[in-house]
Amino acid sequence: MSRAKIGYLVSFFLFCLALPAHAGDFAEGGNKLDLPLTNQIPHRTVKGVVDRIDDKGMISVKTDEGTIRSFGVTDAKKEGIQSLKPGDRITLELDEGNLISDIHKGDATAKGDTQGTISPEGKGGSTHADHHSVTGTVELFDPIQRKVTVKTEDGQSQSFEIKMPIVNKLNGVSKGTKVTLEIDEQNRVMDVHQG
């Protein structure tokens, strides 16, 4: 047998020995990183100017980063922003998936204060509170009604409306799963994290 053939056989043998050590990773879709919640990519804030509003109700914002982000007039109204026109300054909060999770008029951003009930600048109408988090276990998730009910650590049940992009993040989450919900000024779930 030649040295090249022996080299190939040894390499193949070593590969076969290493394969069972990673077989579980391959069976479950590859390597997984179980990062604690604190190591997840945080939300980020992007500011920009309304570039145009088309006939179909889509608002295009040219961001300070040089990108174009779009959302609907109905989305802005749901956020409490009653009127926008080209040239208005906008602040967008993006989740770790780069989806728009909150919209503010002007350079205002929501405060993370869980104690206050003051409406942040840039939102119209009254609000329940500033952004805050609620941790608990899922009691009920209704994707059709876009509602989730969690039992908090102090034993109380709280129900929240879920913003549309976040419904997909909750699909597959079963009763009893521990989650942390990020709640906006209108008391709606704007993001969710398991664990």
Side-chain angles (χ1 to χ4, degrees):
M1 214 186 259
S2 72
R3 286 184 180 220
K5 286 183 181 180
I6 292 173
Y8 288 126
L9 286 174
V10 169
S11 296
F12 179 73
F13 178 72
L14 291 175
F15 172 76
C16 289
L17 287 176
L19 191 58
H22 297 287
D25 291 341
F26 294 132
E28 294 183 15
N31 292 334
K32 294 191 172 33
L33 294 175
D34 292 324
L35 299 175
L37 185 60
T38 56
N39 287 342
Q40 289 184 355
I41 300 169
H43 286 210
R44 65 187 187 99
T45 301
V46 178
K47 298 176 188 243
V49 175
V50 173
D51 187 42
R52 65 185 172 88
I53 303 172
D54 69 19
D55 296 341
K56 296 178 183 172
M58 289 303 294
I59 300 168
S60 294
V61 175
K62 185 172 184 182
T63 69
D64 295 349
E65 297 173 342
T67 61
I68 301 290
R69 296 299 305 233
S70 298
F71 57 89
V73 170
T74 55
D75 296 325
K77 287 183 179 177
K78 286 179 185 177
E79 295 297 329
I81 301 171
Q82 299 305 316
S83 65
L84 286 173
K85 61 187 181 310
D88 283 348
R89 190 113 175 107
I90 292 289
T91 301
L92 304 173
E93 187 169 341
L94 307 177
D95 70 6
E96 64 277 0
N98 208 28
L99 297 173
I100 297 172
S101 62
D102 206 7
I103 306 167
H104 297 272
K105 192 171 182 180
D107 285 324
T109 57
K111 299 165 186 64
D113 177 19
T114 60
Q115 305 300 316
T117 57
I118 299 170
S119 175
E121 293 177 30
K123 295 283 188 170
S126 62
T127 62
H128 297 280
D130 293 331
H131 288 195
H132 62 281
S133 297
V134 173
T135 300
T137 56
V138 174
E139 288 188 320
L140 175 71
F141 167 56
D142 184 346
I144 305 299
Q145 297 294 319
R146 293 190 354 231
K147 299 273 184 193
V148 64
T149 302
V150 295
K151 183 178 240 176
T152 61
E153 293 168 349
D154 63 2
Q156 295 184 0
S157 291
Q158 294 184 16
S159 295
F160 301 95
E161 179 184 347
I162 307 166
K163 288 185 173 185
M164 195 58 204
I166 305 311
V167 171
N168 292 333
K169 284 186 168 185
L170 279 168
N171 278 336
V173 172
S174 58
K175 183 177 180 178
T177 302
K178 186 174 180 179
V179 293
T180 299
L181 307 175
E182 293 186 33
I183 311 299
D184 71 3
E185 301 89 351
Q186 284 82 28
N187 212 35
R188 296 176 299 163
V189 177
M190 59 182 257
D191 204 358
V192 62
H193 305 282
Q194 288 188 45

